[in-house]
Amino acid sequence: MTDNKHINKQWLPTTKKEIEHLGWDYIDVILFSGDAYIDHPSMGAAVIGRVLEANGYRVAIVPQPNWRDDLRDFAKLGKPRLFFSVSAGAMDSMVNHYTANRRKRSDDAYTPNAKAGMRPDYPTIVYTEALKKLFPDVPVVAGGIEASMRRLAHYDYWKDDIAPSILKDCKADLLVYGMGEKPIIEIANSLRDGKNISELTDIPQTALRCSVDSIPTQPNNDIEIVLHSFEQCKKDKKKHAENFKNIEIESNRWQGRTIWQQTGNIAIKVNGTNPPMTEAEIDASFDLPYTRLPHPRYNGKRIPAYEMIRHSVNLHRGCFGGCSFCTISAHQGKFIASRSKQSIMREVAQVCAMEDFKGYISDLGGPSANMYKLGGNDIEKCKQCTRPSCLHPLPCPNLNNDHSLLLDIYHEVDKLPQVKKSFVGSGVRYDLSMHRSENEQINKVNRRYNEELITNHVSGRLKVAPEHTSDSVLRLMRKPSFAQFEEFKRIFDRINEAKGLKQQLIPYFISSHPGCTESDMAELACKTKKLNFHLEQVQDFTPTPMTMSTEMYYTGYNPYTLQPVFTAHSKEEKLAQRKYFFWYERENKQDIIQSLQRIKRADLINELYPGGTARNYVANKPAPKQNKPNRDFKPNKRNNNKKKY
């Protein structure tokens, strides 16, 4: 129940009582979300609600509605004047619910007290079905990461099969993909002006069902592309791989083309992307009057996802790293949309004014922490570019990697008397800050960036993501050579020694990624042992919709070359790879030795276990760690749920 003393703080209303308090006699838009309602600029439902509110619309939010009973949560606020909107939340529901081994998780970071089971599998479908059952004449608009990444035919790891566009099963009238501020306002304005939802067929960053006859028989390649049909992809995995290449290229364009795909007796039309948001547009979104707090209905309850972001500030959107396993560029785009310094400092001031602020900014970051204000020197070249990554296989010659504007943000924040320390909690692209420019002044700035980052902005542990040690695997991941990580570690260690610091470098690694063999994992164990790492932040590769890694996993082909790619699929194959993360645990020793002999890599036994005897192993056993390795690591903010909606 909402505490009346908090209503005047102006959260968006969630109950009939709150709406009555506001004196409303109608609601324009009602948002249904799979997450708890946190009124923060990193939470999708809050952002969409606030953007609509800023444009003059009355908006209510129904967080985590009960879908198991008589659907009273879906009916309690009645009909909106314009439309319902549904979102599974900040993560794909299946990633949220299940581990890489398809085991049910026991917690949910986006729910009060981390309680599991407060949303169904595939909420986008379930919520829409409930609303259409109760209010068949009211338009429903789907959005969020789940709908966005499932807008076309995709591999569903949890069904272990290719699935059609979510619009085949979800009866939403329109789907918004990517960052939703601009399309949601265009939809609302069109419906307000008397248009029918069926007339909204050309809004950028939307997808919809059409008749099969709508698919162009001779497409204009400048503005549209026709994919292999869903049925063709079911029969031929290579055609599905070919589709993915085209989908990824379009999602990474400055302004993408329209995509068509036949699915049974309907056509899915995906309108092209909007250009990246301007500084004024992204400032307008972040400067809205968020309370930055969970709704008071959750008083006394802890929401883990909020704990992570409560004192953080997001500097930009988008990521041009193009990692094969990551959904960020597919959702936010590869071009960076950065906030102005003034907007950032206004939000920092809000954080400093929070009652529980103790002087520490937990994160001045973004999808990748150090891409603020970066991009092409010649924007016209960027507008023509179809590369999925600006960093792989080598950094683009047109890329400006000058970190001086980011350093200026750090300096301005640290000058504030209320700030004792500002940290960078997001993942850092060391290959970006270490890349040598032709401009020696930029190289000097970037060396200073690395030094200041390590000296002033590490909260004891700096998270980076080499992901693997094998160059062949890293090429498929679109990640730099492990040699670059080793060089960064030398820089990190040198600065720590010079400054008298005792900080840790925490690397992330993935097992069972396409292209990775058991031998590659054995070499990873040896290389990380030599660097004195006892790994904690590790995970098995989890295929998620609309990533290149997932398409390689499912089809067995590299979508860009159509060459075969080996992938571990069975539980036994995955466990055989994962155990090498924990080579130092006594119970794994004999199994690993036998495995190395089986795969004809006995040459590595002495590297892991000098002498190969239990006595020598015990003598070299590492000291107990403060943190137990997370063997069932949940996809985190670095890839699947970082400040996106």
Side-chain angles (χ1 to χ4, degrees):
M1 182 64 68
T2 301
D3 185 342
N4 286 335
K5 70 180 181 181
H6 289 291
I7 289 178
N8 288 332
K9 286 191 177 179
Q10 293 299 301
W11 279 265
L12 297 171
T14 65
T15 65
K16 201 80 170 174
K17 186 174 183 180
E18 293 170 72
I19 290 166
E20 290 171 357
H21 179 85
L22 293 169
W24 292 358
D25 56 358
Y26 66 88
I27 307 169
D28 290 306
V29 182
I30 302 175
L31 310 177
F32 286 82
S33 172
D35 292 339
Y37 171 32
I38 301 169
D39 194 41
H40 189 282
S42 291
M43 295 297 173
V47 173
I48 296 303
R50 289 297 186 186
V51 167
L52 285 164
E53 177 189 55
N55 281 267
Y57 295 103
R58 295 180 177 181
V59 185
I61 293 181
V62 181
Q64 300 188 313
N66 185 352
W67 74 100
R68 297 185 179 98
D69 59 9
D70 59 2
L71 306 181
R72 66 187 67 182
D73 279 355
F74 294 90
K76 66 182 182 181
L77 300 184
K79 285 186 181 183
R81 187 169 67 99
L82 298 178
F83 62 91
F84 291 112
S85 179
V86 299
S87 169
M91 289 179 69
D92 185 281
S93 66
M94 305 306 282
V95 178
N96 183 284
H97 285 172
Y98 299 95
T99 71
N101 288 323
R102 298 187 178 93
R103 293 200 304 267
K104 198 84 180 238
R105 299 190 191 277
S106 59
D107 62 351
D108 182 342
Y110 292 85
T111 298
N113 294 333
K115 184 179 179 181
M118 294 300 290
R119 77 184 89 208
D121 290 352
Y122 307 107
T124 310
I125 296 172
V126 175
Y127 293 173
T128 301
E129 183 178 7
L131 291 169
K132 284 296 186 182
K133 180 179 179 179
L134 294 169
F135 307 104
D137 58 328
V138 179
V140 176
V141 178
I145 190 73
E146 180 171 274
S148 182
M149 296 296 96
R150 296 170 183 270
R151 58 189 182 263
L152 289 158
H154 57 279
Y155 172 69
D156 189 304
Y157 176 67
W158 299 272
K159 294 176 179 175
D160 193 22
D161 198 4
I162 185 174
S165 164
I166 195 171
L167 286 171
K168 181 70 174 175
D169 298 315
C170 170
K171 302 310 177 187
D173 299 276
L174 208 55
L175 181 153
V176 171
Y177 70 91
M179 310 307 281
E181 293 104 321
K182 293 173 80 170
I184 205 72
I185 293 304
E186 190 167 350
I187 292 167
N189 289 347
S190 297
L191 295 178
R192 177 202 61 196
D193 294 344
K195 287 189 176 180
N196 189 284
I197 192 75
S198 63
E199 298 177 78
L200 309 185
T201 59
D202 297 311
I203 294 177
Q205 283 182 223
T206 63
L208 61 149
R209 291 178 297 274
C210 300
S211 71
V212 172
D213 294 338
S214 303
I215 300 176
T217 54
Q218 294 183 316
N220 179 344
N221 292 331
D222 291 333
I223 61 172
E224 58 194 347
I225 183 172
V226 178
L227 302 178
H228 299 300
S229 71
F230 169 67
E231 288 72 24
Q232 289 174 316
C233 293
K234 284 278 283 185
K235 294 177 182 177
D236 187 342
K237 290 183 177 181
K238 191 172 282 190
K239 288 185 176 178
H240 186 62
E242 289 174 348
N243 273 2
F244 174 78
K245 176 183 175 181
N246 287 310
I247 294 168
E248 183 175 54
I249 285 172
E250 295 311 314
S251 67
N252 281 323
R253 282 182 184 270
W254 187 270
Q255 194 163 11
R257 296 178 292 177
T258 297
I259 299 175
W260 295 89
Q261 184 177 42
Q262 183 172 347
T263 303
N265 60 355
I266 62 171
I268 303 299
K269 180 187 181 187
V270 179
N271 292 308
T273 54
N274 281 301
M277 294 179 83
T278 65
E279 182 179 271
E281 287 171 336
I282 195 169
D283 280 0
S285 178
F286 276 89
D287 289 347
L288 295 170
Y290 305 97
T291 65
R292 294 186 59 86
L293 299 168
H295 191 278
R297 66 193 289 150
Y298 310 122
N299 280 351
K301 297 178 180 179
R302 175 178 172 270
I303 305 175
Y306 173 66
E307 298 297 315
M308 184 178 74
I309 60 161
R310 66 193 305 164
H311 298 141
S312 73
V313 178
N314 187 18
L315 310 184
H316 71 272
R317 290 182 186 161
C319 178
F320 51 70
C323 298
S324 298
F325 49 81
C326 183
T327 62
I328 291 172
S329 64
H331 188 66
Q332 296 192 6
K334 75 173 183 180
F335 296 105
I336 305 303
S338 297
R339 301 169 64 185
S340 69
K341 178 179 174 180
Q342 294 76 14
S343 175
I344 292 167
M345 295 307 295
R346 283 193 290 270
E347 187 175 358
V348 170
Q350 284 183 287
V351 174
C352 292
M354 294 175 70
E355 292 180 5
D356 61 349
F357 182 67
K358 306 298 183 186
Y360 300 98
I361 303 288
S362 63
D363 186 18
L364 289 173
S368 288
N370 56 322
M371 290 187 182
Y372 177 72
K373 290 287 185 179
L374 301 188
N377 287 302
D378 184 345
I379 296 301
E380 292 307 311
K381 290 182 179 179
C382 293
K383 290 179 180 179
Q384 305 305 315
C385 180
T386 59
R387 278 180 57 164
S389 171
C390 302
L391 295 175
H392 183 85
L394 293 171
C396 176
N398 187 42
L399 179 62
N400 170 21
N401 69 328
D402 182 352
H403 285 57
S404 58
L405 293 176
L406 181 54
L407 276 174
D408 184 47
I409 296 293
Y410 293 173
H411 298 161
E412 287 298 306
V413 171
D414 289 346
K415 279 196 291 188
L416 294 174
Q418 307 97 314
V419 176
K420 298 176 183 176
K421 201 86 168 173
S422 64
F423 299 115
V424 175
S426 309
V428 173
R429 288 297 300 241
Y430 53 82
D431 54 332
L432 180 58
S433 61
M434 291 171 64
H435 173 60
R436 286 195 61 78
S437 168
E438 293 181 358
N439 184 328
E440 190 52 41
Q441 181 59 33
I442 292 178
N443 294 331
K444 183 178 178 181
V445 165
N446 291 350
R447 286 193 294 271
R448 190 167 81 247
Y449 172 81
N450 284 331
E451 182 165 346
E452 290 194 23
L453 169 73
I454 294 167
T455 303
N456 301 325
H457 301 286
V458 176
S459 181
R461 314 174 100 202
L462 178 63
K463 299 174 183 177
V464 292
E467 307 294 6
H468 214 285
T469 60
S470 163
D471 281 349
S472 63
V473 178
L474 288 166
R475 280 192 291 272
L476 290 173
M477 290 179 164
R478 296 186 186 139
K479 296 288 288 186
S481 169
F482 190 67
Q484 266 201 306
F485 169 76
E486 293 177 299
E487 174 60 24
F488 184 75
K489 184 180 185 301
R490 286 191 286 272
I491 295 170
F492 183 87
D493 292 343
R494 174 179 56 78
I495 292 173
N496 269 270
E497 184 176 358
K499 302 291 184 180
L501 302 171
K502 296 182 179 180
Q503 299 174 148
Q504 289 180 288
L505 194 61
I506 306 298
Y508 291 93
F509 288 97
I510 296 176
S511 61
S512 303
H513 187 276
C516 179
T517 64
E518 194 173 338
S519 180
D520 292 323
M521 290 301 298
E523 291 183 356
L524 182 151
C526 292
K527 289 181 180 179
T528 55
K529 180 190 176 185
K530 286 178 182 176
L531 294 173
N532 200 31
F533 283 119
H534 303 125
L535 302 180
E536 300 175 18
Q537 299 299 308
V538 300
Q539 67 182 101
D540 287 343
F541 169 65
T542 304
T544 56
M546 208 174 282
T547 71
M548 189 172 99
S549 299
T550 296
E551 301 312 317
M552 289 189 287
Y553 175 92
Y554 168 65
T555 66
Y557 297 105
N558 180 329
Y560 282 79
T561 66
L562 296 182
Q563 294 300 306
V565 177
F566 165 79
T567 304
H569 278 86
S570 71
K571 181 178 180 181
E572 292 73 23
E573 287 176 315
K574 291 182 177 184
L575 289 173
Q577 291 200 20
R578 188 174 64 175
K579 69 190 176 192
Y580 288 99
F581 286 139
F582 311 109
W583 61 268
Y584 50 81
E585 293 194 346
R586 183 189 298 271
E587 61 267 28
N588 290 334
K589 180 188 175 186
Q590 289 306 318
D591 186 20
I592 287 176
I593 289 175
Q594 291 172 5
S595 295
L596 290 172
Q597 291 169 336
R598 172 178 51 80
I599 64 174
K600 296 181 171 50
R601 293 306 308 268
D603 58 302
L604 300 180
I605 293 174
N606 199 52
E607 290 192 42
L608 285 179
Y609 310 109
T613 68
R615 180 175 58 80
N616 285 338
Y617 174 58
V618 171
N620 289 289
K621 186 176 181 180
K625 302 178 298 302
Q626 292 181 342
N627 296 294
K628 186 175 180 180
N630 188 350
R631 299 159 185 246
D632 210 8
F633 183 57
K634 187 173 183 177
N636 63 24
K637 65 181 181 179
R638 71 195 178 105
N639 49 25
N640 278 321
N641 64 343
K642 178 64 180 175
K643 299 178 174 72
K644 62 190 177 190
Y645 44 89

